[in-house]
Amino acid sequence: MLKIRLNPTGVANKPFYRIVVIDERKKLGGKALAILGYWKPSKDEIKIDKEKIDAWIKKGAKVTPAVAKLI
């Protein structure tokens, strides 16, 4: 099943998360099918492409609770 979830990147003490579509069986650092946005909690900066998220949801992707809070 496809999930829309946060993919952690960045360095120590400077977290950065990409909002990605990925197969739920893949690891956190696995290759994503699509990058839909990002979240930088240190600066409280969020960029989300809602049109792409809606398109993936129509294709059957499920949104994780963490991403649902950001949307």
Coordinates of all heavy atoms in Angstrom, one line a residue:
M1 N 0.8 -1.2 0.0 CA 0.0 0.0 0.0 C 0.9 1.2 0.0 O 1.9 1.3 0.6 CB -0.9 0.0 1.3 CG -1.7 1.3 1.3 SD -2.6 1.5 2.9 CE -3.4 0.0 3.1
L2 N 0.5 2.3 -0.7 CA 1.2 3.5 -0.8 C 0.8 4.4 0.4 O -0.3 4.5 0.8 CB 0.9 4.3 -2.1 CG 1.4 3.6 -3.3 CD1 0.9 4.4 -4.5 CD2 2.9 3.4 -3.3
K3 N 1.8 5.1 1.0 CA 1.6 6.0 2.1 C 2.2 7.3 1.8 O 3.2 7.4 1.1 CB 2.3 5.5 3.4 CG 1.8 4.2 3.9 CD 0.7 4.5 4.9 CE 0.3 3.2 5.6 NZ -0.5 3.4 6.7
I4 N 1.5 8.4 2.3 CA 2.1 9.7 2.2 C 2.6 10.0 3.6 O 1.9 10.1 4.5 CB 1.0 10.8 1.8 CG1 0.5 10.4 0.4 CG2 1.6 12.2 1.8 CD1 -0.7 11.3 0.0
R5 N 4.0 10.0 3.7 CA 4.6 10.1 5.0 C 5.8 11.1 5.0 O 6.2 11.6 4.0 CB 5.0 8.8 5.6 CG 6.1 8.1 4.8 CD 6.5 6.8 5.4 NE 7.7 6.3 4.8 CZ 8.1 5.0 4.8 NH1 7.3 4.1 5.5 NH2 9.2 4.7 4.3
L6 N 6.3 11.3 6.2 CA 7.5 12.1 6.4 C 8.7 11.3 6.2 O 8.8 10.2 6.7 CB 7.5 12.8 7.8 CG 6.4 13.8 8.1 CD1 6.5 14.2 9.5 CD2 6.5 15.0 7.2
N7 N 9.7 11.8 5.4 CA 11.0 11.1 5.2 C 12.1 12.0 5.8 O 12.3 13.1 5.3 CB 11.2 10.9 3.7 CG 12.3 10.0 3.4 OD1 12.9 9.4 4.3 ND2 12.7 9.9 2.2
P8 N 12.7 11.6 6.9 CA 13.6 12.4 7.6 C 14.9 12.6 6.9 O 15.5 11.6 6.3 CB 13.9 11.7 9.0 CG 13.5 10.3 8.7 CD 12.5 10.3 7.6
T9 N 15.4 13.8 6.8 CA 16.7 14.1 6.2 C 17.4 15.1 7.1 O 16.9 15.4 8.1 CB 16.6 14.6 4.7 OG1 15.8 15.8 4.7 CG2 16.0 13.6 3.8
G10 N 18.5 15.7 6.6 CA 19.1 16.7 7.4 C 20.2 16.2 8.3 O 20.6 15.0 8.2
V11 N 20.7 17.0 9.2 CA 21.9 16.6 10.0 C 21.4 16.7 11.5 O 20.3 17.1 11.8 CB 23.1 17.6 9.8 CG1 23.6 17.4 8.4 CG2 22.7 19.0 10.0
A12 N 22.3 16.3 12.4 CA 22.0 16.3 13.8 C 21.6 17.7 14.3 O 22.2 18.7 14.0 CB 23.2 15.8 14.6
N13 N 20.5 17.7 15.1 CA 20.0 19.0 15.7 C 19.4 20.0 14.7 O 19.1 21.1 15.0 CB 21.0 19.7 16.6 CG 21.5 18.8 17.7 OD1 20.7 18.1 18.3 ND2 22.8 18.8 18.0
K14 N 19.3 19.6 13.4 CA 18.7 20.4 12.4 C 17.8 19.5 11.6 O 18.1 19.2 10.4 CB 19.7 21.1 11.5 CG 20.5 22.1 12.2 CD 21.5 22.8 11.3 CE 22.3 23.9 12.0 NZ 23.2 24.6 11.1
P15 N 16.6 19.1 12.1 CA 15.8 18.2 11.4 C 15.1 18.8 10.2 O 14.9 20.0 10.1 CB 14.7 17.8 12.4 CG 14.7 19.0 13.4 CD 16.1 19.5 13.4
F16 N 14.9 18.0 9.2 CA 14.3 18.4 7.9 C 13.5 17.2 7.4 O 14.1 16.1 7.4 CB 15.4 18.8 6.9 CG 14.8 19.3 5.6 CD1 14.3 20.6 5.5 CD2 14.7 18.5 4.5 CE1 13.8 21.1 4.3 CE2 14.2 18.9 3.3 CZ 13.7 20.2 3.2
Y17 N 12.3 17.3 7.0 CA 11.5 16.2 6.6 C 10.9 16.5 5.2 O 10.4 17.6 5.0 CB 10.3 16.0 7.6 CG 10.8 15.6 9.0 CD1 10.9 16.6 9.9 CD2 11.0 14.3 9.3 CE1 11.3 16.3 11.2 CE2 11.4 14.0 10.6 CZ 11.5 15.0 11.5 OH 11.9 14.7 12.8
R18 N 11.0 15.5 4.3 CA 10.3 15.6 3.1 C 9.0 14.9 3.2 O 8.9 13.8 3.8 CB 11.1 15.0 2.0 CG 12.3 15.7 1.6 CD 13.0 15.1 0.4 NE 14.1 15.9 0.0 CZ 15.3 15.4 -0.4 NH1 15.5 14.1 -0.4 NH2 16.3 16.2 -0.7
I19 N 7.9 15.4 2.6 CA 6.6 14.7 2.5 C 6.6 14.0 1.2 O 6.7 14.6 0.1 CB 5.5 15.8 2.6 CG1 5.6 16.5 3.9 CG2 4.2 15.1 2.5 CD1 4.7 17.8 3.9
V20 N 6.6 12.6 1.3 CA 6.8 11.8 0.1 C 5.7 10.7 0.0 O 5.0 10.4 1.0 CB 8.2 11.1 0.2 CG1 9.3 12.0 0.2 CG2 8.2 10.2 1.4
V21 N 5.6 10.2 -1.2 CA 4.7 9.0 -1.4 C 5.7 7.9 -1.6 O 6.6 7.9 -2.4 CB 3.9 9.2 -2.7 CG1 3.1 7.9 -3.0 CG2 3.0 10.4 -2.6
I22 N 5.4 6.8 -0.8 CA 6.4 5.7 -0.8 C 5.6 4.4 -0.4 O 4.5 4.5 0.3 CB 7.5 5.9 0.2 CG1 8.7 5.0 0.0 CG2 7.0 6.0 1.6 CD1 9.9 5.4 0.7
D23 N 6.1 3.3 -0.8 CA 5.5 2.0 -0.4 C 5.7 1.8 1.1 O 6.8 2.1 1.5 CB 6.1 0.9 -1.2 CG 5.4 -0.5 -1.0 OD1 4.4 -0.5 -0.2 OD2 5.9 -1.5 -1.6
E24 N 4.7 1.4 1.8 CA 4.8 1.3 3.3 C 5.9 0.3 3.7 O 6.3 0.4 4.8 CB 3.5 1.0 3.9 CG 3.0 -0.4 3.6 CD 1.6 -0.6 4.3 OE1 1.2 0.2 5.1 OE2 1.0 -1.7 4.0
R25 N 6.3 -0.6 2.9 CA 7.3 -1.6 3.2 C 8.7 -1.1 3.1 O 9.6 -1.7 3.6 CB 7.1 -2.8 2.4 CG 5.7 -3.5 2.6 CD 5.5 -4.6 1.6 NE 5.3 -4.0 0.3 CZ 5.0 -4.7 -0.8 NH1 4.9 -6.0 -0.8 NH2 4.8 -4.0 -1.9
K26 N 8.9 0.0 2.5 CA 10.2 0.6 2.4 C 10.7 1.2 3.7 O 9.9 1.6 4.5 CB 10.2 1.7 1.3 CG 9.9 1.2 -0.1 CD 11.0 0.5 -0.7 CE 10.6 0.2 -2.2 NZ 11.7 -0.4 -2.9
K27 N 12.0 1.3 3.8 CA 12.6 1.9 5.0 C 12.5 3.4 4.9 O 12.1 4.0 3.9 CB 14.1 1.6 5.0 CG 14.4 0.1 5.2 CD 15.9 -0.1 5.3 CE 16.2 -1.6 5.5 NZ 17.6 -1.9 5.5
L28 N 12.8 4.1 6.0 CA 12.6 5.5 6.1 C 13.4 6.3 5.1 O 13.1 7.3 4.5 CB 12.9 6.1 7.5 CG 11.8 5.8 8.5 CD1 12.3 6.3 9.9 CD2 10.5 6.4 8.2
G29 N 14.6 5.8 4.7 CA 15.5 6.4 3.8 C 15.3 5.9 2.4 O 16.1 6.2 1.5
G30 N 14.2 5.1 2.1 CA 14.1 4.5 0.8 C 13.7 5.5 -0.3 O 13.3 6.6 0.0
K31 N 13.8 5.0 -1.5 CA 13.5 5.8 -2.6 C 12.0 6.1 -2.7 O 11.2 5.2 -2.7 CB 14.0 5.2 -3.9 CG 13.8 6.1 -5.1 CD 14.5 5.6 -6.3 CE 14.3 6.6 -7.4 NZ 15.2 6.4 -8.5
A32 N 11.6 7.4 -2.8 CA 10.2 7.8 -2.9 C 9.7 7.8 -4.3 O 10.5 8.0 -5.3 CB 10.1 9.2 -2.3
L33 N 8.4 7.6 -4.5 CA 7.8 7.7 -5.8 C 7.6 9.2 -6.2 O 7.8 9.5 -7.4 CB 6.5 7.0 -5.8 CG 6.5 5.5 -5.5 CD1 5.1 5.0 -5.4 CD2 7.2 4.8 -6.6
A34 N 7.3 10.0 -5.2 CA 7.2 11.4 -5.5 C 7.4 12.2 -4.3 O 7.1 11.8 -3.2 CB 5.7 11.7 -6.0
I35 N 8.0 13.4 -4.4 CA 8.2 14.3 -3.3 C 7.1 15.4 -3.4 O 7.0 16.1 -4.4 CB 9.6 15.0 -3.3 CG1 10.6 13.9 -3.2 CG2 9.7 16.0 -2.2 CD1 12.0 14.4 -3.4
L36 N 6.3 15.5 -2.3 CA 5.1 16.4 -2.4 C 5.3 17.7 -1.6 O 4.5 18.6 -1.6 CB 3.9 15.7 -1.8 CG 3.6 14.3 -2.5 CD1 2.5 13.6 -1.8 CD2 3.3 14.5 -3.9
G37 N 6.4 17.8 -0.9 CA 6.7 19.0 -0.1 C 7.7 18.8 1.0 O 8.4 17.7 0.9
Y38 N 7.8 19.7 1.9 CA 8.8 19.6 3.0 C 8.3 20.3 4.2 O 7.4 21.1 4.2 CB 10.2 20.1 2.6 CG 10.3 21.6 2.3 CD1 10.5 22.5 3.3 CD2 10.2 22.1 1.0 CE1 10.5 23.8 3.1 CE2 10.2 23.4 0.8 CZ 10.4 24.3 1.8 OH 10.5 25.6 1.6
W39 N 9.0 19.9 5.3 CA 8.7 20.6 6.6 C 10.0 20.8 7.4 O 10.8 19.8 7.5 CB 7.7 19.7 7.5 CG 7.5 20.2 8.8 CD1 7.2 21.5 9.2 CD2 7.4 19.4 10.0 NE1 7.0 21.6 10.6 CE2 7.1 20.3 11.1 CE3 7.6 18.1 10.3 CZ2 7.0 19.9 12.4 CZ3 7.5 17.6 11.6 CH2 7.2 18.5 12.6
K40 N 10.3 22.0 7.7 CA 11.5 22.3 8.5 C 11.0 22.8 9.9 O 10.7 24.0 10.0 CB 12.2 23.4 7.7 CG 13.6 23.7 8.3 CD 14.3 24.8 7.5 CE 15.1 24.2 6.4 NZ 15.9 25.3 5.7
P41 N 11.0 21.9 10.9 CA 10.5 22.3 12.2 C 11.3 23.4 12.9 O 10.7 24.1 13.7 CB 10.4 21.0 13.0 CG 11.3 20.1 12.2 CD 11.4 20.5 10.8
S42 N 12.6 23.5 12.6 CA 13.4 24.4 13.3 C 13.0 25.9 13.0 O 13.0 26.8 13.9 CB 14.9 24.2 13.0 OG 15.1 24.4 11.6
K43 N 12.5 26.1 11.8 CA 12.0 27.4 11.4 C 10.5 27.5 11.2 O 10.0 28.5 10.8 CB 12.7 27.8 10.1 CG 14.2 28.0 10.2 CD 14.7 28.6 8.9 CE 16.2 28.8 9.1 NZ 16.9 29.3 7.9
D44 N 9.8 26.3 11.5 CA 8.4 26.2 11.4 C 8.0 26.6 10.0 O 7.0 27.3 9.8 CB 7.7 27.0 12.4 CG 6.2 26.5 12.6 OD1 6.0 25.3 12.4 OD2 5.3 27.3 12.9
E45 N 8.7 26.1 9.0 CA 8.5 26.3 7.6 C 7.9 25.1 6.9 O 8.4 24.0 7.0 CB 9.8 26.7 6.9 CG 9.7 27.1 5.5 CD 11.0 27.5 4.9 OE1 12.0 27.8 5.7 OE2 11.2 27.4 3.7
I46 N 6.7 25.3 6.2 CA 6.1 24.1 5.6 C 5.7 24.5 4.1 O 5.2 25.6 3.9 CB 4.8 23.8 6.3 CG1 5.0 23.4 7.8 CG2 4.0 22.6 5.6 CD1 3.7 23.2 8.6
K47 N 6.0 23.6 3.2 CA 5.6 23.8 1.8 C 5.0 22.5 1.4 O 5.6 21.4 1.4 CB 6.8 24.1 0.9 CG 6.4 24.4 -0.5 CD 7.6 24.6 -1.4 CE 7.1 24.7 -2.8 NZ 8.2 24.7 -3.8
I48 N 3.7 22.6 1.0 CA 3.0 21.4 0.6 C 2.3 21.6 -0.7 O 1.6 22.7 -0.9 CB 2.0 21.0 1.7 CG1 2.6 20.7 3.0 CG2 1.1 19.8 1.2 CD1 1.7 20.5 4.1
D49 N 2.4 20.7 -1.7 CA 1.7 20.8 -2.9 C 0.4 20.0 -2.8 O 0.3 18.8 -3.0 CB 2.5 20.2 -4.1 CG 1.9 20.5 -5.4 OD1 0.7 20.9 -5.5 OD2 2.6 20.3 -6.4
K50 N -0.7 20.7 -2.4 CA -2.0 20.0 -2.1 C -2.6 19.4 -3.3 O -3.3 18.4 -3.2 CB -2.9 21.0 -1.4 CG -2.4 21.4 0.0 CD -3.4 22.3 0.7 CE -2.8 22.7 2.0 NZ -3.7 23.4 2.9
E51 N -2.4 19.9 -4.5 CA -2.9 19.3 -5.7 C -2.3 17.9 -5.9 O -3.1 17.0 -6.3 CB -2.7 20.2 -6.9 CG -3.4 21.5 -6.9 CD -3.1 22.4 -8.0 OE1 -2.3 22.0 -8.9 OE2 -3.5 23.6 -8.0
K52 N -1.0 17.8 -5.7 CA -0.4 16.5 -5.9 C -0.9 15.5 -4.8 O -1.1 14.3 -5.1 CB 1.1 16.6 -5.8 CG 1.7 17.2 -7.1 CD 3.2 17.2 -7.0 CE 3.9 17.8 -8.2 NZ 5.3 17.8 -8.1
I53 N -1.0 16.0 -3.6 CA -1.5 15.1 -2.5 C -2.9 14.6 -2.8 O -3.2 13.4 -2.7 CB -1.5 15.9 -1.1 CG1 0.0 16.0 -0.7 CG2 -2.3 15.1 -0.1 CD1 0.1 16.8 0.6
D54 N -3.8 15.5 -3.3 CA -5.1 15.1 -3.6 C -5.1 14.0 -4.8 O -5.9 13.1 -4.8 CB -6.0 16.3 -4.0 CG -6.3 17.2 -2.9 OD1 -6.2 16.7 -1.7 OD2 -6.6 18.4 -3.1
A55 N -4.2 14.3 -5.7 CA -4.1 13.3 -6.9 C -3.6 11.9 -6.4 O -4.2 10.9 -6.8 CB -3.1 13.9 -7.9
W56 N -2.7 11.9 -5.5 CA -2.2 10.6 -4.9 C -3.3 9.9 -4.1 O -3.4 8.7 -4.0 CB -0.9 10.8 -4.2 CG 0.3 10.8 -5.1 CD1 1.0 11.9 -5.5 CD2 0.9 9.7 -5.8 NE1 2.0 11.5 -6.4 CE2 1.9 10.2 -6.5 CE3 0.6 8.3 -5.8 CZ2 2.7 9.4 -7.3 CZ3 1.4 7.5 -6.5 CH2 2.5 8.0 -7.3
I57 N -4.0 10.7 -3.3 CA -5.1 10.1 -2.5 C -6.2 9.5 -3.4 O -6.7 8.4 -3.1 CB -5.7 11.2 -1.6 CG1 -4.7 11.6 -0.5 CG2 -7.0 10.7 -0.9 CD1 -5.1 12.8 0.4
K58 N -6.5 10.1 -4.5 CA -7.4 9.6 -5.5 C -6.9 8.3 -6.1 O -7.7 7.4 -6.4 CB -7.7 10.5 -6.6 CG -8.6 11.7 -6.1 CD -8.8 12.7 -7.2 CE -9.6 13.8 -6.7 NZ -9.9 14.9 -7.8
K59 N -5.5 8.1 -6.2 CA -4.9 6.9 -6.7 C -4.9 5.8 -5.6 O -4.5 4.7 -5.9 CB -3.5 7.2 -7.2 CG -3.5 8.0 -8.4 CD -2.1 8.3 -8.8 CE -2.0 9.3 -10.0 NZ -0.6 9.6 -10.4
G60 N -5.2 6.1 -4.3 CA -5.3 5.1 -3.3 C -4.3 5.2 -2.2 O -4.2 4.4 -1.3
A61 N -3.4 6.3 -2.2 CA -2.4 6.5 -1.2 C -3.1 6.9 0.1 O -4.1 7.7 0.1 CB -1.4 7.5 -1.6
K62 N -2.6 6.4 1.3 CA -3.1 6.8 2.6 C -2.2 7.8 3.2 O -1.0 7.7 3.1 CB -3.2 5.5 3.5 CG -4.1 4.4 2.9 CD -5.5 4.8 2.9 CE -6.4 3.7 2.4 NZ -7.7 4.0 2.3
V63 N -2.8 8.7 3.9 CA -2.0 9.8 4.6 C -1.8 9.3 6.1 O -2.7 8.9 6.7 CB -2.8 11.1 4.6 CG1 -2.0 12.2 5.3 CG2 -3.1 11.5 3.2
T64 N -0.5 9.5 6.5 CA -0.2 9.1 7.9 C -0.7 10.2 8.8 O -0.9 11.4 8.4 CB 1.3 8.9 8.1 OG1 2.0 10.2 7.8 CG2 1.9 7.8 7.2
P65 N -0.9 9.9 10.1 CA -1.4 10.9 11.0 C -0.5 12.2 11.2 O -1.0 13.3 11.3 CB -1.5 10.2 12.4 CG -1.6 8.7 12.0 CD -0.8 8.6 10.7
A66 N 0.8 12.0 11.1 CA 1.8 13.1 11.2 C 1.6 14.1 10.0 O 1.6 15.3 10.2 CB 3.2 12.6 11.2
V67 N 1.4 13.5 8.8 CA 1.2 14.4 7.7 C -0.2 15.0 7.7 O -0.3 16.2 7.3 CB 1.4 13.6 6.4 CG1 1.1 14.5 5.1 CG2 2.9 13.1 6.3
A68 N -1.2 14.3 8.2 CA -2.5 14.9 8.3 C -2.5 16.1 9.2 O -3.2 17.0 8.9 CB -3.5 13.8 8.8
K69 N -1.7 16.1 10.3 CA -1.6 17.2 11.2 C -1.1 18.4 10.4 O -1.4 19.6 10.7 CB -0.8 16.9 12.4 CG -1.5 16.1 13.4 CD -0.5 15.8 14.6 CE -1.1 14.9 15.6 NZ -0.2 14.7 16.7
L70 N -0.1 18.2 9.6 CA 0.6 19.3 8.8 C -0.3 19.9 7.8 O -0.3 21.1 7.5 CB 1.9 18.8 8.2 CG 3.0 18.4 9.1 CD1 4.2 17.9 8.3 CD2 3.4 19.6 9.9
I71 N -1.2 19.0 7.2 CA -2.1 19.5 6.1 C -3.2 20.3 6.8 O -3.5 21.4 6.4 CB -2.7 18.4 5.3 CG1 -1.6 17.6 4.6 CG2 -3.7 18.8 4.4 CD1 -2.0 16.4 3.9

